[in-house]
Coordinates of all heavy atoms in Angstrom, one line a residue:
M1 N 233.1 227.0 219.9 CA 232.1 227.9 219.5 C 232.6 228.7 218.4 O 233.6 229.4 218.6 CB 231.6 228.6 220.8 CG 230.5 229.6 220.6 SD 230.2 230.3 222.2 CE 228.8 231.4 221.7
K2 N 231.8 228.9 217.4 CA 232.1 229.8 216.2 C 231.8 231.2 216.6 O 230.8 231.5 217.2 CB 231.2 229.3 215.0 CG 231.6 230.0 213.8 CD 230.7 229.5 212.6 CE 231.0 230.4 211.5 NZ 230.1 229.9 210.3
K3 N 232.8 232.0 216.2 CA 232.6 233.5 216.5 C 231.9 234.2 215.4 O 232.1 233.9 214.3 CB 233.9 234.1 216.8 CG 234.6 233.7 218.0 CD 235.6 234.7 218.3 CE 236.2 234.4 219.7 NZ 236.9 235.5 220.4
S4 N 231.0 235.1 215.7 CA 230.2 235.8 214.7 C 230.3 237.3 215.1 O 230.6 237.7 216.2 CB 228.8 235.4 214.5 OG 228.0 235.7 215.7
R5 N 229.9 238.1 214.1 CA 229.8 239.6 214.3 C 228.8 239.8 215.4 O 228.9 240.8 216.2 CB 229.4 240.2 213.1 CG 230.4 240.4 212.2 CD 230.0 241.3 210.9 NE 228.7 241.9 211.1 CZ 227.9 242.2 210.1 NH1 228.2 241.6 209.0 NH2 226.8 242.7 210.3
L6 N 227.8 239.0 215.7 CA 226.7 239.2 216.6 C 226.9 238.5 217.8 O 226.0 238.4 218.7 CB 225.4 238.8 216.0 CG 225.0 239.5 214.7 CD1 223.7 238.9 214.1 CD2 224.9 240.9 214.8
N7 N 228.2 238.0 218.1 CA 228.4 237.3 219.4 C 228.4 238.4 220.5 O 229.4 239.3 220.6 CB 229.8 236.7 219.3 CG 230.2 235.8 220.5 OD1 229.3 235.5 221.3 ND2 231.3 235.3 220.5
F8 N 227.4 238.3 221.4 CA 227.3 239.2 222.5 C 227.7 238.6 223.8 O 227.5 239.2 224.9 CB 225.9 239.9 222.5 CG 224.9 238.8 222.9 CD1 224.5 238.7 224.1 CD2 224.3 238.1 222.0 CE1 223.4 237.8 224.5 CE2 223.3 237.2 222.2 CZ 222.9 237.0 223.5
L9 N 228.0 237.4 223.8 CA 228.4 236.7 225.1 C 230.0 236.6 225.3 O 230.7 236.6 224.4 CB 227.9 235.2 225.0 CG 226.4 235.0 224.9 CD1 226.1 233.5 224.7 CD2 225.7 235.4 226.1
N10 N 230.2 236.6 226.5 CA 231.7 236.5 227.0 C 231.6 235.4 227.9 O 230.7 234.7 228.1 CB 232.2 237.8 227.4 CG 231.5 238.4 228.8 OD1 230.7 237.6 229.4 ND2 231.6 239.6 229.0
E11 N 232.8 235.1 228.5 CA 232.9 234.0 229.5 C 231.9 234.0 230.6 O 231.4 233.1 231.1 CB 234.3 233.9 230.0 CG 235.3 233.5 229.0 CD 235.7 234.6 228.2 OE1 235.9 235.8 228.7 OE2 236.1 234.5 226.9
Q12 N 231.4 235.4 231.1 CA 230.7 235.4 232.2 C 229.2 235.4 231.8 O 228.3 235.4 232.6 CB 230.9 236.8 233.0 CG 232.3 236.9 233.6 CD 233.4 237.2 232.6 OE1 233.2 237.9 231.7 NE2 234.6 236.6 233.0
G13 N 228.8 235.5 230.6 CA 227.5 235.6 230.1 C 227.3 236.8 229.2 O 228.2 237.3 228.7
P14 N 226.0 237.3 229.0 CA 225.8 238.4 228.2 C 226.5 239.7 228.7 O 226.6 239.9 229.9 CB 224.2 238.6 228.3 CG 223.8 237.4 228.9 CD 224.9 236.8 229.7
V15 N 226.9 240.4 227.6 CA 227.6 241.7 227.9 C 226.5 242.6 228.4 O 225.6 242.9 227.6 CB 228.3 242.1 226.7 CG1 228.9 243.5 227.1 CG2 229.5 241.2 226.3
T16 N 226.7 243.4 229.5 CA 225.7 244.3 229.9 C 226.4 245.6 230.4 O 227.7 245.5 230.7 CB 224.8 243.9 230.9 OG1 225.7 243.4 232.1 CG2 223.9 242.7 230.6
K17 N 225.7 246.6 230.5 CA 226.3 247.9 230.9 C 225.3 248.5 231.8 O 224.1 248.6 231.5 CB 226.7 248.9 229.7 CG 227.4 250.0 230.0 CD 227.8 250.9 228.7 CE 228.5 252.1 229.0 NZ 228.8 252.8 227.7
H18 N 225.9 249.0 233.0 CA 225.0 249.7 233.9 C 225.3 251.1 234.2 O 226.6 251.5 234.2 CB 225.0 248.9 235.2 CG 224.5 247.6 235.0 ND1 225.2 246.4 234.7 CD2 223.2 247.0 235.2 CE1 224.5 245.4 234.5 NE2 223.1 245.7 234.9
C19 N 224.4 251.9 234.7 CA 224.6 253.3 235.1 C 225.5 253.4 236.2 O 225.3 252.7 237.2 CB 223.3 254.0 235.4 SG 223.3 255.7 235.9
S20 N 226.5 254.2 236.3 CA 227.4 254.4 237.3 C 226.7 255.0 238.5 O 227.4 254.8 239.6 CB 228.6 255.1 236.8 OG 228.4 256.4 236.4
K21 N 225.6 255.7 238.4 CA 225.0 256.3 239.6 C 223.9 255.4 240.1 O 224.0 255.2 241.4 CB 224.3 257.5 239.2 CG 225.3 258.7 238.9 CD 225.2 259.6 240.0 CE 226.1 260.9 239.5 NZ 226.6 261.6 240.7
C22 N 223.0 255.0 239.4 CA 221.8 254.2 239.9 C 221.9 252.8 239.6 O 221.0 252.0 240.3 CB 220.5 254.8 239.5 SG 220.2 254.4 237.7
G23 N 222.6 252.3 238.8 CA 222.7 250.8 238.5 C 221.9 250.3 237.3 O 221.9 249.1 237.1
R24 N 221.0 251.1 236.8 CA 220.0 250.7 235.8 C 220.9 250.2 234.6 O 222.0 250.8 234.3 CB 219.2 251.9 235.3 CG 218.0 252.3 236.1 CD 217.2 253.3 235.4 NE 216.2 253.9 236.3 CZ 215.9 255.1 236.5 NH1 216.6 256.0 235.8 NH2 214.9 255.5 237.4
R25 N 220.3 249.4 233.9 CA 221.0 248.8 232.7 C 220.8 249.9 231.6 O 219.7 250.6 231.5 CB 220.2 247.6 232.2 CG 220.6 246.4 233.0 CD 220.0 245.1 232.5 NE 220.3 244.8 231.1 CZ 220.0 243.7 230.5 NH1 219.4 242.8 231.1 NH2 220.3 243.7 229.3
I26 N 221.8 250.2 230.8 CA 221.9 251.1 229.6 C 222.3 250.3 228.5 O 223.0 249.3 228.6 CB 222.7 252.3 230.0 CG1 224.1 252.0 230.4 CG2 222.1 253.2 231.1 CD1 225.0 253.1 230.7
P27 N 222.0 250.8 227.3 CA 222.5 250.2 226.0 C 224.1 249.9 226.1 O 224.8 250.9 226.4 CB 222.1 251.0 225.0 CG 220.9 251.8 225.6 CD 221.3 252.1 227.0
V28 N 224.6 248.8 225.6 CA 225.9 248.5 225.7 C 226.7 249.4 224.8 O 227.8 249.9 225.1 CB 226.1 247.1 225.2 CG1 227.6 246.7 225.1 CG2 225.5 246.1 226.2
N29 N 226.0 249.9 223.7 CA 226.7 250.7 222.7 C 226.7 252.3 223.2 O 227.1 253.1 222.5 CB 226.2 250.6 221.3 CG 224.8 250.9 221.2 OD1 224.0 251.1 222.2 ND2 224.3 250.8 220.0
S30 N 226.1 252.5 224.3 CA 226.0 253.9 224.8 C 227.3 254.5 225.2 O 228.1 253.8 225.8 CB 225.1 254.0 226.0 OG 225.1 255.2 226.6
P31 N 227.7 255.6 224.7 CA 228.9 256.3 225.0 C 229.0 256.8 226.3 O 230.0 257.3 226.8 CB 229.1 257.3 223.9 CG 227.7 257.7 223.5 CD 226.9 256.4 223.7
Y32 N 227.9 256.9 227.1 CA 227.9 257.4 228.4 C 227.9 256.4 229.5 O 227.5 255.2 229.3 CB 226.5 258.4 228.5 CG 226.3 259.2 227.4 CD1 225.4 259.1 226.4 CD2 227.3 260.3 227.1 CE1 225.3 259.9 225.3 CE2 227.2 261.2 226.1 CZ 226.1 260.9 225.1 OH 226.1 261.8 224.0
D33 N 228.2 256.8 230.7 CA 228.2 256.0 231.9 C 226.9 256.1 232.7 O 226.9 255.4 233.6 CB 229.5 256.2 232.7 CG 230.7 255.8 232.0 OD1 230.7 254.7 231.2 OD2 231.8 256.3 232.3
L34 N 226.1 257.0 232.3 CA 224.9 257.4 233.0 C 223.8 257.0 232.2 O 223.7 257.2 231.0 CB 224.9 258.8 233.5 CG 226.0 259.4 234.2 CD1 225.9 260.9 234.5 CD2 226.0 258.7 235.6
C35 N 222.6 256.7 232.8 CA 221.3 256.5 232.1 C 220.8 257.8 231.9 O 221.2 258.9 232.5 CB 220.5 255.6 233.1 SG 219.8 256.4 234.5
K36 N 219.7 258.0 231.1 CA 219.2 259.2 230.7 C 218.6 259.9 231.9 O 218.7 261.2 232.0 CB 218.1 259.1 229.6 CG 218.6 258.9 228.2 CD 217.5 259.0 227.2 CE 218.1 258.9 225.8 NZ 217.2 259.4 224.8
E37 N 218.0 259.2 232.8 CA 217.5 259.9 234.1 C 218.6 260.6 235.0 O 218.4 261.7 235.4 CB 216.6 258.9 234.8 CG 215.4 258.6 234.2 CD 214.5 259.8 233.9 OE1 214.2 260.5 234.8 OE2 214.0 259.8 232.7
C38 N 219.6 259.8 235.1 CA 220.8 260.4 235.9 C 221.4 261.5 235.2 O 221.8 262.5 235.8 CB 221.8 259.3 236.3 SG 221.1 258.2 237.5
M39 N 221.4 261.4 233.9 CA 222.1 262.4 233.1 C 221.3 263.7 233.1 O 221.8 264.8 233.4 CB 222.3 261.9 231.6 CG 223.1 262.8 230.8 SD 223.3 262.1 229.0 CE 224.0 260.6 229.2
K40 N 220.0 263.4 233.1 CA 219.0 264.6 233.2 C 219.2 265.2 234.6 O 219.4 266.6 234.7 CB 217.6 264.1 233.0 CG 216.7 265.2 232.9 CD 215.3 264.7 232.6 CE 214.3 265.7 232.2 NZ 213.1 265.2 231.7
R41 N 219.3 264.5 235.6 CA 219.3 265.0 237.0 C 220.8 265.7 237.1 O 220.7 266.8 237.8 CB 219.2 263.9 238.0 CG 218.0 263.8 238.6 CD 217.9 262.8 239.8 NE 217.3 261.7 239.2 CZ 217.8 260.5 239.2 NH1 219.0 260.2 239.6 NH2 217.1 259.4 238.6
E42 N 221.7 265.2 236.6 CA 223.2 265.9 236.7 C 223.3 267.0 235.8 O 223.9 267.9 236.2 CB 224.1 264.7 236.6 CG 225.6 265.2 236.9 CD 226.6 264.0 236.9 OE1 226.4 263.2 237.8 OE2 227.5 264.0 236.0
L43 N 223.0 266.7 234.5 CA 223.4 267.7 233.6 C 222.4 268.9 233.2 O 222.7 269.9 232.8 CB 223.7 267.1 232.3 CG 225.0 266.4 232.1 CD1 225.2 265.7 230.7 CD2 226.2 267.4 232.2
F44 N 221.1 268.5 233.4 CA 220.1 269.4 233.1 C 220.3 270.8 233.7 O 220.1 271.9 233.0 CB 218.6 268.8 233.3 CG 217.5 269.8 232.9 CD1 217.2 269.9 231.6 CD2 216.9 270.5 233.9 CE1 216.1 270.7 231.2 CE2 215.9 271.3 233.5 CZ 215.4 271.4 232.2
P45 N 220.4 270.9 235.0 CA 220.6 272.3 235.6 C 221.7 273.1 235.0 O 221.6 274.2 234.8 CB 220.8 272.0 237.1 CG 220.4 270.6 237.3 CD 220.5 269.8 236.1
K46 N 223.0 272.3 234.6 CA 224.1 273.0 234.1 C 223.7 273.5 232.6 O 224.1 274.6 232.2 CB 225.1 272.1 234.0 CG 225.7 271.7 235.4 CD 226.8 270.6 235.4 CE 227.2 270.1 236.7 NZ 228.1 268.9 236.5
V47 N 223.0 272.6 231.9 CA 222.5 273.0 230.6 C 221.6 274.2 230.5 O 221.7 275.1 229.7 CB 222.0 271.9 229.8 CG1 221.4 272.2 228.5 CG2 223.0 270.7 229.6
K48 N 220.6 274.1 231.4 CA 219.7 275.3 231.6 C 220.5 276.6 231.9 O 220.2 277.6 231.3 CB 218.6 274.9 232.7 CG 217.5 275.9 232.7 CD 216.4 275.4 233.5 CE 215.2 276.3 233.4 NZ 214.0 275.7 234.0
D49 N 221.3 276.5 232.9 CA 222.1 277.6 233.2 C 222.9 278.3 232.0 O 223.0 279.4 231.9 CB 223.0 277.4 234.4 CG 222.3 277.3 235.8 OD1 221.1 277.7 235.8 OD2 222.9 276.7 236.7
Y50 N 223.6 277.4 231.3 CA 224.3 277.8 230.2 C 223.4 278.4 229.1 O 223.9 279.5 228.6 CB 225.0 276.5 229.6 CG 225.7 276.7 228.3 CD1 227.0 277.3 228.4 CD2 225.3 276.4 227.0 CE1 227.7 277.5 227.2 CE2 225.9 276.8 225.9 CZ 227.2 277.3 225.9 OH 227.9 277.5 224.8
I51 N 222.2 277.9 228.9 CA 221.3 278.4 227.9 C 220.8 280.0 228.5 O 220.7 280.8 227.7 CB 220.2 277.6 227.6 CG1 220.7 276.4 226.7 CG2 219.1 278.3 226.7 CD1 219.6 275.3 226.5
N52 N 220.5 280.0 229.8 CA 220.1 281.2 230.3 C 221.2 282.3 230.3 O 220.8 283.5 230.3 CB 219.6 281.0 231.6 CG 218.2 280.3 231.7 OD1 217.6 280.4 230.9 ND2 218.0 279.7 232.8
D53 N 222.5 281.8 230.3 CA 223.6 282.9 230.3 C 223.9 283.2 229.0 O 224.8 284.1 228.8 CB 224.8 282.2 231.1 CG 224.5 282.0 232.6 OD1 223.4 282.8 233.1 OD2 225.2 281.3 233.3
N54 N 223.6 282.5 227.9 CA 224.1 282.8 226.6 C 222.9 283.0 225.6 O 222.1 282.2 225.6 CB 225.0 281.6 226.2 CG 226.2 281.4 226.9 OD1 227.1 282.2 226.8 ND2 226.3 280.5 227.9
Y55 N 223.1 284.0 224.8 CA 222.0 284.3 223.8 C 222.4 283.4 222.5 O 223.6 283.3 222.3 CB 222.1 285.8 223.4 CG 221.4 286.7 224.5 CD1 222.2 287.6 225.2 CD2 220.0 286.7 224.6 CE1 221.6 288.4 226.0 CE2 219.5 287.5 225.6 CZ 220.3 288.4 226.3 OH 219.7 289.2 227.2
D56 N 221.3 283.1 221.7 CA 221.6 282.6 220.5 C 222.3 281.3 220.3 O 223.2 281.0 219.4 CB 222.4 283.6 219.4 CG 221.4 285.0 219.3 OD1 220.2 284.8 219.4 OD2 222.0 286.0 219.1
V57 N 222.2 280.4 221.3 CA 222.8 279.2 221.2 C 221.8 278.1 220.6 O 220.7 278.4 220.6 CB 223.3 278.6 222.7 CG1 224.4 279.5 223.1 CG2 222.2 278.4 223.6
N58 N 222.3 277.2 220.0 CA 221.4 276.1 219.6 C 221.8 274.6 220.0 O 222.7 274.6 220.8 CB 221.5 276.0 217.9 CG 222.8 275.8 217.5 OD1 223.7 275.0 218.1 ND2 223.3 276.4 216.4
E59 N 221.0 273.7 219.7 CA 221.2 272.4 220.1 C 222.6 271.7 219.9 O 223.2 271.3 220.8 CB 220.2 271.4 219.5 CG 218.8 271.5 219.9 CD 217.9 270.8 219.2 OE1 218.3 270.0 218.3 OE2 216.6 270.8 219.3
M60 N 223.2 272.1 218.7 CA 224.5 271.6 218.4 C 225.6 272.2 219.4 O 226.5 271.7 219.9 CB 224.8 271.9 217.0 CG 225.9 271.1 216.4 SD 225.3 269.5 216.5 CE 226.1 268.7 215.2
M61 N 225.4 273.5 219.6 CA 226.4 274.2 220.5 C 226.4 273.7 221.9 O 227.3 273.5 222.5 CB 226.1 275.7 220.4 CG 226.4 276.4 219.0 SD 225.7 278.0 219.0 CE 226.8 279.0 219.9
V62 N 225.1 273.4 222.3 CA 224.9 272.9 223.7 C 225.6 271.5 223.8 O 226.2 271.3 224.8 CB 223.4 273.1 224.2 CG1 223.3 272.3 225.4 CG2 222.9 274.4 224.2
A63 N 225.2 270.7 222.9 CA 225.8 269.3 223.0 C 227.2 269.3 222.8 O 227.9 268.6 223.7 CB 225.3 268.6 221.6
E64 N 227.9 270.2 222.1 CA 229.4 270.3 222.0 C 229.9 270.6 223.4 O 230.9 270.1 223.9 CB 229.7 271.2 220.9 CG 230.5 270.6 219.9 CD 230.8 271.5 218.7 OE1 231.5 272.5 219.1 OE2 230.5 271.4 217.6
E65 N 229.3 271.8 224.0 CA 229.8 272.3 225.2 C 229.8 271.3 226.4 O 230.7 271.2 227.2 CB 228.9 273.5 225.5 CG 229.3 274.1 226.9 CD 230.5 274.9 226.9 OE1 230.9 275.3 225.9 OE2 231.1 275.1 227.9
F66 N 228.7 270.4 226.3 CA 228.6 269.5 227.4 C 229.1 268.1 227.1 O 229.0 267.2 227.9 CB 227.2 269.5 228.0 CG 226.9 270.8 228.7 CD1 226.4 271.9 228.1 CD2 227.3 270.9 230.1 CE1 226.1 273.0 228.8 CE2 227.1 272.1 230.7 CZ 226.4 273.2 230.1
G67 N 229.4 267.7 225.9 CA 229.9 266.5 225.4 C 228.8 265.5 225.4 O 229.1 264.3 225.6
I68 N 227.6 265.9 225.0 CA 226.5 265.0 225.0 C 225.8 265.0 223.5 O 226.2 265.8 222.8 CB 225.3 265.4 226.1 CG1 224.8 266.8 225.8 CG2 225.8 265.1 227.4 CD1 223.7 267.2 226.7
D69 N 225.0 264.0 223.3 CA 224.4 263.8 222.1 C 223.4 264.9 221.9 O 222.6 265.3 222.8 CB 223.8 262.4 222.0 CG 223.4 262.1 220.5 OD1 224.4 261.8 219.8 OD2 222.3 262.2 220.2
R70 N 223.3 265.4 220.7 CA 222.3 266.4 220.4 C 220.9 266.0 220.6 O 220.0 266.8 221.0 CB 222.6 266.9 218.9 CG 221.6 268.1 218.5 CD 221.8 268.4 217.0 NE 221.3 267.2 216.3 CZ 220.0 267.2 215.9 NH1 219.1 267.9 216.4 NH2 219.6 266.2 215.1
S71 N 220.6 264.7 220.4 CA 219.2 264.2 220.6 C 218.9 264.4 222.1 O 217.5 264.6 222.3 CB 219.2 262.8 220.1 OG 219.9 261.9 221.0
I72 N 219.7 264.4 222.9 CA 219.2 264.5 224.4 C 218.8 266.0 224.6 O 217.8 266.3 225.2 CB 220.4 264.2 225.3 CG1 220.8 262.7 225.2 CG2 220.2 264.5 226.8 CD1 222.0 262.3 225.9
V73 N 219.5 266.9 224.1 CA 219.1 268.4 224.1 C 217.9 268.6 223.4 O 216.9 269.2 223.9 CB 220.2 269.3 223.6 CG1 219.9 270.8 223.7 CG2 221.5 269.0 224.3
H74 N 217.7 267.9 222.2 CA 216.5 268.2 221.4 C 215.3 267.6 222.2 O 214.3 268.2 222.2 CB 216.6 267.4 220.0 CG 215.5 267.5 219.3 ND1 215.2 268.7 218.5 CD2 214.5 266.6 218.9 CE1 214.1 268.4 217.9 NE2 213.5 267.2 218.1
E75 N 215.5 266.5 222.8 CA 214.4 265.9 223.6 C 214.0 266.8 224.7 O 212.7 267.1 225.0 CB 214.8 264.6 224.2 CG 213.7 263.9 225.0 CD 214.3 262.5 225.5 OE1 215.0 261.8 224.8 OE2 214.0 262.3 226.6
W76 N 214.9 267.5 225.5 CA 214.6 268.4 226.5 C 213.9 269.7 225.9 O 212.9 270.2 226.6 CB 215.8 268.9 227.2 CG 216.4 267.8 228.0 CD1 215.9 266.6 228.4 CD2 217.7 267.7 228.5 NE1 216.8 265.8 229.1 CE2 217.9 266.5 229.3 CE3 218.9 268.5 228.4 CZ2 219.2 266.1 229.8 CZ3 220.0 268.3 229.1 CH2 220.2 267.0 229.8
V77 N 214.1 270.2 224.8 CA 213.6 271.2 224.2 C 212.1 270.8 223.8 O 211.1 271.6 224.0 CB 214.2 271.8 223.1 CG1 213.6 272.8 222.3 CG2 215.7 272.3 223.5
R78 N 212.0 269.8 223.1 CA 210.7 269.3 222.6 C 209.7 269.0 223.7 O 208.5 269.3 223.6 CB 210.9 268.0 221.8 CG 209.6 267.5 221.1 CD 210.0 266.2 220.3 NE 210.0 265.1 221.3 CZ 211.0 264.2 221.4 NH1 211.9 264.4 220.5 NH2 211.1 263.3 222.3
E79 N 210.2 268.5 224.8 CA 209.3 268.4 226.0 C 209.0 269.6 226.8 O 208.2 269.5 227.7 CB 210.0 267.3 226.9 CG 210.1 265.9 226.3 CD 210.9 265.0 227.3 OE1 211.5 265.4 228.3 OE2 210.9 263.7 227.0
G80 N 209.7 270.6 226.3 CA 209.3 272.0 227.1 C 210.1 272.3 228.2 O 209.9 273.2 229.0
H81 N 211.2 271.5 228.5 CA 212.0 271.7 229.6 C 213.0 272.8 229.5 O 213.5 273.5 230.4 CB 212.8 270.5 230.1 CG 211.9 269.3 230.4 ND1 211.1 269.2 231.4 CD2 211.8 268.1 229.8 CE1 210.4 268.1 231.4 NE2 210.8 267.3 230.5
L82 N 213.4 273.1 228.2 CA 214.4 274.2 227.8 C 213.8 275.0 226.8 O 213.1 274.5 226.0 CB 215.7 273.5 227.2 CG 216.5 272.7 228.2 CD1 217.7 272.2 227.4 CD2 217.1 273.5 229.4
E83 N 214.1 276.2 226.8 CA 213.8 277.3 225.9 C 214.9 278.1 225.6 O 215.5 278.7 226.6 CB 212.5 278.0 226.3 CG 211.9 279.0 225.3 CD 210.7 279.6 225.9 OE1 209.8 278.9 226.4 OE2 210.5 280.9 225.7
Y84 N 215.3 278.3 224.3 CA 216.4 279.1 223.9 C 216.0 280.6 224.0 O 215.0 281.0 223.8 CB 216.9 278.8 222.5 CG 217.5 277.5 222.4 CD1 216.7 276.4 221.7 CD2 218.6 277.1 223.0 CE1 217.3 275.1 221.5 CE2 219.1 275.8 222.8 CZ 218.4 274.8 222.1 OH 219.0 273.6 222.1
R85 N 217.1 281.3 224.4 CA 217.0 282.8 224.4 C 217.5 283.5 223.2 O 218.4 283.0 222.7 CB 217.8 283.3 225.6 CG 217.4 283.0 227.0 CD 218.4 283.5 228.0 NE 218.1 284.9 228.1 CZ 219.2 285.7 228.7 NH1 220.2 285.2 229.1 NH2 219.1 286.9 228.6
Q86 N 216.7 284.4 222.7 CA 217.2 285.1 221.6 C 217.5 286.5 222.0 O 216.9 287.0 223.0 CB 216.3 285.1 220.5 CG 215.8 283.7 219.9 CD 214.9 283.8 218.8 OE1 214.4 284.8 218.5 NE2 214.8 282.6 218.1
R87 N 218.6 287.1 221.3 CA 219.0 288.4 221.7 C 217.9 289.4 221.5 O 217.2 289.4 220.4 CB 220.2 288.8 220.8 CG 221.1 289.8 221.3 CD 222.3 289.9 220.4 NE 223.2 288.9 220.6 CZ 224.0 288.5 221.5 NH1 224.0 289.3 222.5 NH2 224.7 287.5 221.5
P88 N 217.5 290.3 222.4 CA 216.5 291.3 222.3 C 216.7 292.2 221.1 O 217.7 292.6 220.8 CB 216.3 292.1 223.6 CG 217.6 291.6 224.4 CD 218.3 290.5 223.6
K89 N 215.6 292.4 220.3 CA 215.7 293.3 219.2 C 215.4 294.8 219.6 O 214.4 295.1 220.3 CB 214.8 293.0 218.1 CG 215.2 291.5 217.6 CD 214.2 291.0 216.5 CE 214.7 289.7 216.1 NZ 213.8 289.1 215.0
F90 N 216.2 295.7 219.2 CA 216.0 297.1 219.6 C 215.5 297.8 218.4 O 215.8 297.7 217.4 CB 217.3 297.7 220.2 CG 217.8 297.0 221.3 CD1 218.8 296.1 221.5 CD2 217.2 297.4 222.6 CE1 219.3 295.5 222.5 CE2 217.6 296.8 223.8 CZ 218.7 295.8 223.8

């Protein structure tokens, strides 16, 4: 069998990756071991507490703090699940 860059088969069949919590299939190229739903359940409360405890944080800072992709944090903000705190003006 000729090998190509797009060879996604191994001896056992197609290469797949599953969430370590619930077993759902996740993209093979995902850097995470959890699906988005499990990540949301596990990380969301921690992220929300972090934002509530810190003024003037942004998506990039939150993503760096928790080692997650910025797009995940952006999605939570866009959906209205998170809201950033700004320092009160006196």
